[in-house]
Amino acid sequence: MSQNKNGIFVQIDYWLLDNVFQPITNRLPGEKSNLRLGMNLMLGSVIFSFAFLLMPLFFFDIGFFSSTYNLLSCVMVICFYMYVHRNQSLVREGFVNPLRYFLSGIRIISIPFTLYGIYVWMTSVGMMGRFTMLYSISNVLSVCGLYFISCNVNPPKKKEEQKIVFAENPFS
């Protein structure tokens, strides 16, 4: 009996990467545009994470020492963004993206957390619903950014030289 070495979550991850995000990446103009798009989405995720984690400090008059978890979460989000930003130089056109494998665990884990965050947002009411909406947007941006960053960068298409065909000179 042959065993499947990849679990269902890994198969879903590779299916999303190869059949959803890679075709979008192939249509993007410019060199390494998937990395730029992914990093911009990750930066948007960082901004929404800051908004979600720091808004209770201002709206509910919570002290900085009471929200140590939120502040440490902000530091972790910044560290992860810096890690991905620094490892962009490993990606080369025409080769397999090493970040595809480096970020595979975080991509697999982030999808259920994003789905749970969207569920919490849809079921919450009032001011807490607004906070969890920021959290859900942050998670969706993060997941999309991770997938775009993990896509392979294709080499730029070579422009085919157009052969100029001269019509035969009728006077020769």
Side-chain angles (χ1 to χ4, degrees):
M1 178 187 242
S2 66
Q3 292 182 347
N4 188 2
K5 294 182 180 179
N6 292 335
I8 187 75
F9 293 116
V10 174
Q11 291 176 357
I12 291 171
D13 175 54
Y14 284 139
W15 183 85
L16 281 172
L17 192 58
D18 293 332
N19 295 329
V20 176
F21 288 94
Q22 188 65 46
I24 296 171
T25 297
N26 292 343
R27 293 174 185 247
L28 293 174
E31 296 178 8
K32 295 186 180 182
S33 55
N34 64 322
L35 291 174
R36 289 193 303 266
L37 177 61
M39 288 307 295
N40 286 333
L41 289 172
M42 290 290 291
L43 183 61
S45 173
V46 168
I47 292 169
F48 278 102
S49 292
F50 273 125
F52 168 71
L53 295 170
L54 297 178
M55 279 179 98
L57 292 173
F58 301 111
F59 284 110
F60 300 121
D61 198 28
I62 298 174
F64 281 110
F65 292 111
S66 300
S67 63
T68 306
Y69 173 77
N70 290 359
L71 295 174
L72 290 177
S73 296
C74 289
V75 169
M76 290 303 295
V77 167
I78 290 174
C79 289
F80 181 72
Y81 177 80
M82 289 172 49
Y83 166 77
V84 174
H85 184 68
R86 289 189 77 187
N87 285 325
Q88 276 184 348
S89 61
L90 298 175
V91 179
R92 297 187 322 196
E93 295 175 353
F95 293 96
V96 176
N97 187 349
L99 295 178
R100 180 182 180 106
Y101 303 108
F102 292 168
L103 300 175
S104 64
I106 212 124
R107 283 192 321 260
I108 293 170
I109 288 175
S110 64
I111 291 175
F113 280 111
T114 301
L115 294 175
Y116 176 71
I118 291 171
Y119 169 75
V120 169
W121 168 47
M122 296 303 237
T123 57
S124 59
V125 293
M127 185 64 88
M128 197 56 159
R130 292 186 184 118
F131 289 153
T132 56
M133 178 186 67
L134 295 173
Y135 179 69
S136 297
I137 292 171
S138 171
N139 283 342
V140 169
L141 290 175
S142 176
V143 167
C144 291
L146 284 172
Y147 275 97
F148 277 119
I149 289 168
S150 299
C151 288
N152 290 325
V153 178
N154 295 327
K157 295 178 183 175
K158 295 180 181 177
K159 295 181 181 178
E160 295 181 14
E161 294 181 20
Q162 295 179 352
K163 295 181 181 178
I164 300 174
V165 178
F166 293 104
E168 292 182 21
N169 190 351
F171 301 109
S172 59

